[in-house]
Amino acid sequence: MKLALVIALLAAAAHAQEIKVLLDNDWVKVTHIKDRPGDKRPTHTHKDSVVVALTDHRRRVSGNTTVELDVNAGAAMWFADVTHSEENIGTTDGELMLVDIKKPTGSFKADPDVAKWPDKLEAVTAAPGNHKIILENDRVRVLSVTVAPGEKEPLHMHRMPSLLYIIAEDDIQDFDADGKLLYDTRSQASPPKTPYAEWMPPQAPHRIINRSKNPLRLIRVEIK
């Protein structure tokens, strides 16, 4: 009996839902959630939050009503003052990226020079092939960002502060409008392990060059 109990406890621990906080600052709290078929999240509240699905799975959400959803990887959802519980009712693991927004709209006061950056260099306008809007409202704009192997992004900028959730990153370089190197993964002694989250202030015109054989993939949550 004792051995059976130990085995059961170990199995339960191995099956436990994974919830990991990747970033927590004055602006946002970023959490990676992975649950397996049958896992449940007890009743909880989303004040102002973005949820991005990272895998295809099926989910039951119970609040004032109960709905069963086929969740598609890449889908983004906004929750405001919502209280509910969740259960993975499918046959595959479900992974989510949760961003809790801590400050109200208009909290960010940009340097006056930021407003002078030309509209034509706004990311979705200047580099539409790399920046796809997957959600936008009066609080946030959420972009799915990809840079293909060997690709050089068009010059573009980001006026709003952002949360970056890096899904896949190998050998990349970032250059400013004058060609000055801003960031190079090869210069890092201990590169962060993906996925990871990073807070980013407004970014002046820049471009990424992907020198790897794998695409760069990230989610950018711009805070309005």
Side-chain angles (χ1 to χ4, degrees), residues 62-73:
S62 300
N64 292 331
T65 60
T66 297
V67 294
E68 296 184 355
L69 305 170
D70 288 315
V71 181
N72 298 316

Side-chain angles (χ1 to χ4, degrees), residues 155-168:
L155 191 69
H156 64 280
M157 56 80 174
H158 303 273
R159 279 204 182 95
M160 291 175 276
S162 307
L163 178 280
L164 304 185
Y165 180 82
I166 294 84
I167 300 170

Side-chain angles (χ1 to χ4, degrees), residues 1-14:
M1 291 294 293
K2 291 184 178 180
L3 179 59
L5 178 59
V6 170
I7 292 174
L9 291 174
L10 289 175

Side-chain angles (χ1 to χ4, degrees), residues 101-178:
I101 312 296
K102 296 184 179 181
K103 295 194 177 185
T105 302
S107 295
F108 181 77
K109 306 301 180 184
D111 185 293
D113 287 341
V114 171
K116 299 177 183 178
W117 296 346
D119 290 342
K120 65 181 181 181
L121 290 182
E122 199 281 323
V124 175
T125 301
N130 305 104
H131 300 83
K132 178 184 177 183
I133 299 174
I134 58 175
L135 173 70
E136 184 167 16
N137 58 26
D138 61 344
R139 296 298 315 277
V140 297
R141 185 173 73 169
V142 184
L143 304 177
S144 174
V145 182
T146 58
V147 183
E151 183 180 5
K152 180 179 181 180
E153 273 188 312
L155 191 69
H156 64 280
M157 56 80 174
H158 303 273
R159 279 204 182 95
M160 291 175 276
S162 307
L163 178 280
L164 304 185
Y165 180 82
I166 294 84
I167 300 170
E169 175 189 63
D170 287 336
D171 183 1
I172 69 165
Q173 293 177 309
D174 189 9
F175 295 88
D176 69 11
D178 297 322

